[in-house]
Amino acid sequence: MIVATGGKSFASTGSNGDGYKWANTLDIKVSDLYPGLVSLRTKEIFDLAGLSLQNVGIQVKKDKKVLYKQLGDILFTHEGVSGPGILAMSSYVIHKEPDKIIFDLIPDKSMDEVDAFLLERMNRSSNKQLNHILEMMIPKRLVQYIMDRLNIDDSLKANETTKVQRRSISELLKCLDFEVSSFAGFDQAMITVGGIKTNQIQPQTMESKKIKGLKFVGEVLDLDAQTGGYNLQIAWTTGYVAGSTIKEGAN
C-alpha cells in the first residue's frame, strides 16, 4: 500500500489532509502542519499593489530577534506582499509568528552611503523637486508612498529639504518596515510544511517502520523545499523509490 495523498494545499485536487488522518489513526507521528510558499498580509494597507521590486533585502523579525534575512524579488499586493522572495521566506518563519518585515531597497549601499548619494544628487539638482530626484533611485509609486509616510510635501525642492528630512528618507530606503498581520492560508499555499515525520520512514524503501508493506511518498511526508521544482522532485523521487522497491509476489 502506497499513500500518495499529498498535503493540505490545493484541496480542490483532492489533497485535503486525509493522509495525515490515516497516519495518526495508525499511531504514525505527524508534525505540525502549516501552509508553505505563501504571501504575507500586513496590517497596513497601501496603494502599491502590482509594484514589483528586484533584489531587495528582506528581513523578518519577532520582537527584536531576526528570524530571516535574505535578498529576493517582491511584489506588493492588495493585502501585503508576495513574490519569489516572500514565498521563499514564508516556509521558514510561518510557524514562528513574526511581527515585522523590513525591506532594504538599496542593499548594496550602507545607510551613510545612501545618505551621501542622495545628498550628492540633491546638490547637483538643487532647484529640482525632491520627489523627482528620488524617482531616479526608486519607482515613482514608491516615492509617493515614502513622501506621504514621512509627511513631506510633494512640492518640496532639494534646496529646501532639511538634513533631518533627507536622513529620514535615507533611513526609510534602508529600512522600509511593515507590521505583519498574517500569512495566507492553505487555500493559497503552494505546498504543505510539515507532515509524517521522516524518522518514521525507511528511506531506502519509503516503508513505515511500524507497519510492514505500508509506504508514504510525496507531500504527505515532512519534506518541503523552495520554489524551482524541488517539491516536485521530492514527490517523483520518493514515488520512484517506493515503487521500485516493491518485491515481486509480495502479499
Side-chain angles (χ1 to χ4, degrees):
M1 171 76 74
I2 298 178
V3 177
T5 54
K8 289 186 68 176
S9 54
F10 291 104
S12 60
T13 66
S15 55
N16 57 6
D18 279 344
Y20 307 126
K21 297 175 187 176
W22 301 343
N24 282 322
T25 301
L26 297 169
D27 197 30
I28 296 171
K29 293 180 181 179
V30 178
S31 62
D32 292 337
L33 306 172
Y34 300 92
L37 302 182
V38 289
S39 59
L40 179 145
R41 300 176 180 129
T42 56
K43 291 184 178 179
E44 179 184 359
I45 303 299
F46 33 76
D47 186 24
L48 293 171
L51 176 64
S52 62
L53 301 173
Q54 295 181 326
N55 206 38
V56 171
I58 302 169
Q59 187 175 161
V60 181
K61 289 185 174 183
K62 182 173 184 177
D63 298 324
K64 293 183 179 180
K65 184 179 180 181
V66 177
L67 304 177
Y68 180 91
K69 190 174 183 180
Q70 192 58 266
L71 293 175
D73 298 346
I74 66 171
L75 171 69
F76 288 98
T77 69
H78 292 289
E79 296 182 314
V81 281
S82 187
I86 300 300
L87 299 182
M89 168 274 294
S90 67
S91 297
Y92 284 104
V93 304
I94 192 169
H95 59 291
K96 298 179 181 178
E97 300 180 345
D99 54 27
K100 184 175 287 189
I101 186 165
I102 302 167
F103 298 121
D104 183 349
L105 304 180
I106 310 177
D108 60 337
K109 295 183 184 295
S110 68
M111 177 75 74
D112 289 339
E113 288 172 335
V114 169
D115 196 46
F117 182 73
L118 179 55
L119 177 60
E120 187 271 331
R121 287 287 182 97
M122 290 167 62
N123 288 336
R124 188 190 303 174
S125 308
S126 59
N127 287 318
K128 259 190 174 184
Q129 287 184 197
L130 180 60
N131 57 351
H132 295 325
I133 292 173
L134 288 172
E135 285 167 15
M136 294 186 286
M137 300 171 64
I138 58 174
K140 184 175 181 179
R141 290 175 64 193
L142 196 54
V143 170
Q144 187 62 55
Y145 171 79
I146 286 176
M147 298 285 279
D148 291 343
R149 180 161 165 170
L150 295 174
N151 295 313
I152 298 176
D153 193 283
D154 288 349
S155 62
L156 186 71
K157 291 185 178 180
N159 56 16
E160 299 169 338
T161 305
T162 66
K163 181 179 179 180
V164 172
Q165 287 174 319
R166 189 194 74 236
R167 186 70 181 182
S168 65
I169 291 171
S170 299
E171 288 174 353
L172 209 52
L173 291 174
K174 290 293 294 180
C175 187
L176 183 62
D177 62 314
F178 300 99
E179 286 189 69
V180 173
S181 172
S182 64
F183 286 90
F186 280 108
D187 58 326
Q188 295 183 32
M190 295 175 67
I191 62 168
T192 301
V193 176
I196 294 170
K197 294 185 177 182
T198 53
N199 63 4
Q200 308 281 291
I201 304 298
Q202 293 283 0
Q204 296 86 357
T205 61
M206 307 312 300
E207 186 175 57
S208 165
K209 291 180 179 179
K210 284 191 172 184
I211 303 174
K212 185 175 176 60
L214 177 61
K215 302 185 177 190
F216 293 92
V217 301
E219 201 159 327
V220 74
L221 295 165
D222 186 7
L223 293 171
D224 64 272
Q226 296 304 310
T227 56
Y230 300 109
N231 295 290
L232 289 171
Q233 186 63 57
I234 288 170
W236 294 330
T237 300
T238 55
Y240 175 82
V241 171
S244 63
T245 54
I246 294 175
K247 294 179 181 178
E248 188 175 348
N251 293 325

